[in-house]
Amino acid sequence: MTNPRGTTGTGRRPLRERPAGWPVGSFDSYADAQEAVDNLSDREFPVDKLVIVGVDLMEVESVTGRLTWGRVLAGGAASGAWMGIFFGLLFGLFTPNAFFLPILAGIVVGAIFGMVLAAVPYAMSQGARDFTSQTQIVAGRYDILCDPPLAPQARDAIAGMNLGHRGRASLPQTPAAPAPAQASGTGWAGESRPVQDDAPIDDVARDDVPGDGAVGDETVRDDTTGGEPEAGRRG
């Protein structure tokens, strides 16, 4: 049995799934992405395999003007008058002899109530928001995703449309295996690591280390013998 509200058996709404597919085009505006899908539809491409995804969503509030008492009262009167016309027409249907009288009375009464309903919230705000604005959700870019079997065909078709897209979308490729670490001590990500020498320091040959009073096979001069050379000893 299906649930008309689209909720699960526990009463919670199901989580929205992320769109799947390969990117075949990227556009700066939704109009360009929509035009690309429309062109694919004209070419009898199965557009039911495409998804338009807005990336980098942001909320934009456009300020439309300054809010004053005059605009508040005028807006309230206009909205109230429309409601008065609606109810006046309903009452006018039941009074054929005076059809327009209920309409005029509805406009007047509706305008008065509309001004009151608009003035009370504005007065309570105490001038904290003296401007009008419109809020909308926009995206930094719009990507078109396609099912993998049809992705190359869709990508080539969109690339030839010249719609000002960000560039030819590249299909995902199988990542290459990372190169093994070299003996120089470079890690997988190019990180330099010190190479440790397993040989102990005591095992280094001492033939190259000079001993006491002698330096290898070199001849040293003994200052106590009047400057006569003395044969050096091998350490």
Side-chain angles (χ1 to χ4, degrees), residues 74-90:
S79 61
W82 280 109
M83 292 297 296
I85 292 176
F86 174 73
F87 287 104
L89 287 174
L90 292 180

Side-chain angles (χ1 to χ4, degrees), residues 196-206:
Q196 297 180 355
D197 190 358
D198 295 334
I201 300 178
D202 295 339
D203 294 339
V204 180
R206 296 186 177 274

